[in-house]
């Protein structure tokens, strides 16, 4: 009985610590998310890169408050309760609630970390299975796009049909992976625009932003605004890269046609491709509207 009481007491203290540590960051995410959402509703013409930064702030500020807590000049009146006795009969239902919170928190964090490392490992494995593009003029076009974007670090162009569409992989050495259907069906101008888009992602360090989003989702797995902000960050990153490509190529109509062609590509690859196309149809429409 004493051992059980000791375990519950430890879990109770851990649960209280988690609740107190998460209180201020969670309120910050709620407040900042609401302010950004309202502001962008009133100003729909805000540039995508600014919208991206604002939503990034929504998840970044709570993370800073979580890992670098600061109570401010006036400490908050939060009383830390302690369990004075290890007798199991003295443990109340509130203690059980905090113990359950500690267990849920621990399981969620461990599951999120395992899932993240599994995803990174799978991406690295699929990246190693890719092949070089054996077409000299395509490689030359990709090199010209690297110069246009201003990337000095080597980025390799690879091909693989394990990916439904063009993909940037920045796990280890950065690579841009193209499915074979893109190399066959896209025109040189369309390929150039696709290359520029993926390289803009790397130039903007969007792969690091995705890491911050995933870290925020792990820590604040219970917070709906964090998940919503993560989706908005992904959407605005795509739109920001679209605008950057248009600024370089000066061909918005051609680029919009390329977006539509790439989005329609997976539809010929079975029912899974149809589902993926259905999920991305709304985003594609928003991106094409923004480009035009």
């Amino acid at each position: 009985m004493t051992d059980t009481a000791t375990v519950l007491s430890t879990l109770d203290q851990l649960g209280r610590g988690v609740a107190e540590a998460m209180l201020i960051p969670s309120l910050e995410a709620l407040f900042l998310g609401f302010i950004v959402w309202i502001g962008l509703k009133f100003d729909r013409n805000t540039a995508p890169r600014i919208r991206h930064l604002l939503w990034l702030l929504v998840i970044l500020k709570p993370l800073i408050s979580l890992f670098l807590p600061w109570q401010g000049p006036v400490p908050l009146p939060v009383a830390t309760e302690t369990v004075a006795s290890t007798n199991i009969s003295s443990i109340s239902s509130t203690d059980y609630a905090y113990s359950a919170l500690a267990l849920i928190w621990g399981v969620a964090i461990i599951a999120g970390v395992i899932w993240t490392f599994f995803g990174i490992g799978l991406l690295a494995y699929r990246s190693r299975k890719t092949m070089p593009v054996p077409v000299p003029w395509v490689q030359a076009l990709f090199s010209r796009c690297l110069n246009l974007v201003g990337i000095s670090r080597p980025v390799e162009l690879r091909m693989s049909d394990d990916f439904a569409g063009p993909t940037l992989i920045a796990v280890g050495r950065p690579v841009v992976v193209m499915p074979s259907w893109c190399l066959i069906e896209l025109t040189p101008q369309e390929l150039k625009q696709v290359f520029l888009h993926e390289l803009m992602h790397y130039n903007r360090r969007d792969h690091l932003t995705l890491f911050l989003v995933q870290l925020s989702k792990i820590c604040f797995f219970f917070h709906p605004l964090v998940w919503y902000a993560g989706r908005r960050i992904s959407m605005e990153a795509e739109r920001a890269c679209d605008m950057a490509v248009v600024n370089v190529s000066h061909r918005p109509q051609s680029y919009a046609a390329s977006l539509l062609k790439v989005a329609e590509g997976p539809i010929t690859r079975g029912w899974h491709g149809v589902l993926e196309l259905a999920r991305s149809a709304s985003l594609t429409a928003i991106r094409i509207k923004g480009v035009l």
Side-chain angles (χ1 to χ4, degrees):
M1 299 291 287
T2 303
D3 292 340
T4 303
T6 302
V7 171
L8 289 175
S9 175
T10 302
L11 288 175
D12 170 68
Q13 294 180 20
L14 179 60
R16 292 174 188 274
V18 168
E20 292 176 6
M22 298 301 298
L23 176 61
I24 298 300
S26 298
L27 291 177
E28 285 180 344
L30 183 65
F31 177 76
L32 289 174
F34 180 75
I35 293 298
V36 169
W37 184 78
I38 290 293
L40 295 180
K41 282 292 182 182
F42 278 100
D43 187 4
R44 296 181 180 273
N45 295 323
T46 305
R49 60 186 181 85
I50 301 300
R51 301 169 75 96
H52 181 268
L53 289 175
L54 290 175
W55 285 115
L56 185 59
L57 174 64
V58 172
I59 67 166
L60 189 58
K61 181 58 176 72
L63 280 177
I64 294 174
S65 298
L66 179 62
F67 292 104
L68 298 174
W70 181 62
Q71 294 293 339
V74 180
L76 293 176
V78 179
T80 304
E81 301 180 24
T82 58
V83 178
S85 174
T86 58
N87 192 323
I88 192 169
S89 61
S90 66
I91 298 176
S92 65
S93 59
T94 305
D95 300 323
Y96 284 112
Y98 280 112
S99 300
L101 174 62
L103 287 173
I104 294 172
W105 172 262
V107 170
I109 293 296
I110 293 173
V113 170
I114 292 175
W115 180 259
T116 300
F117 277 100
F118 174 78
I120 293 175
L122 180 61
L123 197 60
Y125 171 74
R126 293 174 68 184
S127 176
R128 288 195 298 269
K129 289 179 60 181
T130 60
M131 301 178 297
V133 177
V135 184
W137 73 265
V138 174
Q139 291 285 1
L141 178 62
F142 185 75
S143 298
R144 289 200 297 272
C145 291
L146 281 171
N147 294 330
L148 281 175
V149 177
I151 296 177
S152 57
R153 182 180 177 182
V155 180
E156 192 174 357
L157 177 64
R158 310 279 291 185
M159 61 180 292
S160 172
D161 285 337
D162 288 339
F163 298 83
T167 305
L168 169 69
I169 301 178
V171 179
R173 184 175 181 179
V175 297
V176 172
V177 182
M178 300 289 290
S180 59
W181 74 265
C182 284
L183 299 174
I184 295 172
E185 299 179 17
L186 297 183
T187 66
Q189 178 61 30
E190 291 168 342
L191 274 177
K192 177 183 177 181
Q193 292 169 334
V194 170
F195 290 160
L196 287 174
H197 178 91
E198 298 304 324
L199 292 174
M200 289 296 180
H201 276 302
Y202 182 73
N203 200 41
R204 285 169 37 86
R205 301 297 187 265
D206 284 334
H207 53 286
L208 300 180
T209 302
L210 289 178
F211 174 78
L212 291 176
V213 170
Q214 184 63 20
L215 179 61
S216 183
K217 288 181 178 179
I218 292 175
C219 296
F220 299 92
F221 61 91
F222 56 88
H223 207 306
L225 257 176
V226 169
W227 288 82
Y228 178 77
R231 290 195 298 270
R232 297 301 309 185
I233 287 171
S234 298
M235 178 184 295
E236 299 304 338
E238 296 295 333
R239 296 181 63 199
C241 288
D242 292 340
M243 295 299 102
V245 172
V246 171
N247 290 336
V248 171
S249 66
H250 305 290
R251 295 186 177 184
Q253 290 82 6
S254 174
Y255 183 63
S258 301
L259 285 177
L260 185 59
K261 196 169 183 177
V262 171
E264 289 177 339
I267 199 171
T268 61
R269 277 125 188 107
W271 63 270
H272 182 72
V274 175
L275 291 179
E276 291 298 322
L277 179 59
R279 293 190 187 102
S280 62
S282 178
L283 175 58
T284 303
I286 293 173
R287 292 173 61 188
I288 291 175
K289 180 180 178 182
V291 168
L292 297 177

